[in-house]
Amino acid sequence: MSLRMATVSLDPPVLLAPLAGITDLPFRNLVASFGAGLVVSEMVASQEVVQAKPVARARAELGFGLANTAVQLAGRDPHWMAEAARYVAGQGARVIDINMGCPAKKVTSASGNGACGSALLREPDLALRLIEAVVNAVDVPVTLKTRLGWDDSLLNAPEIARRAEGAGVRMVTIHGRTRCQFYTGQADWAAIRAVKDAVGIPVIANGDIVDSATARAALAASGADGVMVGRGAQGRPWALAQIAADVYGLPAPVVPQGAALADMICTHYEAMLAFYGTDLGLRVARKHLGWYLSVAGLDHLRAGIVTLDAPAQVIRALHAAFAQQERVAA
């Protein structure tokens, strides 16, 4: 099964969610190498992208020109959103995603970045102006990611999605929680069906989808056209391809084991060091190494490996850990 948005085909309709501090270019490239319909950059602030602040630009290194890669923009000023959209489209972005779903207080608070992200659910007219500004600024497909609503008294995702479709948005992703739920409780996939019923464009279900079983359940409950996976890919970059194989009948990915897994982890580790530089790369890599070791059943080695400061030591320790695991299993 595949979804089409103008010149972009989402095949399979299993997408990588934008995760702050996680879905950087090295990780997106790794997930894409196994197979994903779309990978989405970390959220970047529109004004900062245009004004070339290093952190925002690094997040946007954005996979320009890479197939099936979306750049996610956030903001509340139509001018800066349009300017950022023009910039990233001019650099080769294939899809632009608008963030109206981030629940973080520093994003949604007026004292933080000016009440953007999911705070825009409380300002649907401004949300529409932002969407119109981005759609009118570029020729590439524009998508939207949001939540069910601000809280249980304002469940206006169907209205937002309907107005977004009218403005030219090509796809909507709905996280099955309100902003005020943050990430607590369980995602309400059934509530996403109201959005699906309100629009004719593809709707993607998001929230608590970590494997094939939860993907099937989310699709059945929501009626959505595809799924977006976030935390389920941590330490398991093949997870999206595995879901696509199980749910849509595509070829199963070759999941690396033993020495092959050590090689994959080390390649990702070196890519992070090259992308960020050694000092920052070492810090960024620690969480990924921890997830890999946990998924592999090597949690007991986690502290000893992730705290090493010399890249060569880390690589040797990883190879030794997986070699020892293979010997024990044999």
Side-chain angles (χ1 to χ4, degrees):
M1 177 181 177
S2 65
L3 301 178
R4 288 200 62 81
M5 297 186 301
T7 57
V8 178
S9 177
L10 305 185
D11 185 14
V14 182
L15 287 56
L16 178 66
L19 299 171
I22 298 169
T23 55
D24 54 20
L25 186 61
F27 186 65
R28 296 197 309 272
N29 285 343
L30 180 56
V31 171
S33 72
F34 284 96
L38 188 74
V39 296
V40 185
S41 77
E42 300 170 85
M43 176 185 71
V44 290
S46 54
Q47 186 170 346
E48 292 180 1
V49 169
V50 176
Q51 295 177 334
K53 290 189 178 179
V55 170
R57 196 57 75 79
R59 288 177 182 153
E61 301 259 88
L62 279 173
F64 292 139
L66 296 178
N68 288 6
T69 295
V71 175
Q72 188 182 73
L73 299 177
R76 63 178 283 111
D77 185 312
H79 167 75
W80 287 116
M81 288 290 285
E83 288 299 307
R86 289 190 189 98
Y87 168 73
V88 299
Q91 294 295 311
R94 306 291 186 90
V95 177
I96 294 172
D97 187 60
I98 300 173
N99 182 299
M100 293 187 183
C102 180
K105 290 181 179 179
K106 67 180 181 181
V107 174
T108 60
S109 168
S111 62
N113 289 330
C116 52
S118 59
L120 292 163
L121 289 162
R122 297 192 291 181
E123 300 180 81
D125 291 340
L126 174 58
L128 182 63
R129 292 199 298 274
L130 295 171
I131 292 166
E132 290 173 336
V134 173
V135 170
N136 293 334
V138 296
D139 293 326
V140 300
V142 176
T143 63
L144 173 68
K145 187 173 190 294
T146 188
R147 287 182 167 232
L148 297 175
W150 176 258
D151 57 23
D152 288 341
S153 67
L154 184 61
L155 299 173
N156 59 343
E159 175 201 350
I160 297 286
R162 186 166 49 243
R163 297 180 74 176
E165 179 182 25
V169 161
R170 305 292 185 85
M171 183 180 76
V172 176
T173 299
I174 303 293
H175 184 114
R177 289 182 174 86
T178 65
R179 181 271 174 185
C180 289
Q181 286 181 275
F182 288 89
Y183 296 98
T184 61
Q186 296 294 312
D188 186 353
W189 301 319
I192 297 172
R193 189 173 288 273
V195 179
K196 177 61 182 171
D197 292 341
V199 298
I201 55 177
V203 173
I204 304 299
N206 176 228
D208 296 345
I209 300 169
V210 297
D211 54 22
S212 301
T214 49
R216 287 194 185 95
L219 289 168
S222 67
D225 301 285
V227 295
M228 179 173 276
V229 179
R231 288 171 294 169
Q234 293 173 181
R236 301 167 60 241
W238 53 82
L240 279 72
Q242 189 66 63
I243 289 170
D246 294 342
V247 175
Y248 297 109
L250 297 179
V254 177
V255 177
Q257 304 288 335
L261 179 55
D263 287 342
M264 186 210 78
I265 295 170
C266 289
T267 299
H268 183 199
Y269 177 70
E270 290 171 332
M272 287 185 280
L273 299 184
F275 182 72
Y276 290 106
T278 300
D279 289 344
L280 178 57
L282 283 168
R283 296 196 297 273
V284 171
R286 285 172 182 158
K287 55 180 172 282
H288 288 278
L289 295 180
W291 292 324
Y292 285 132
L293 291 167
S294 180
V295 167
L298 295 172
D299 252 333
H300 59 290
L301 299 177
R302 181 173 179 164
I305 292 178
V306 302
T307 56
L308 293 171
D309 291 326
Q313 290 180 322
V314 173
I315 290 170
R316 283 197 299 271
L318 287 168
H319 281 295
F322 284 95
Q324 174 64 20
Q325 187 182 51
E326 277 194 308
R327 285 194 294 271
V328 170

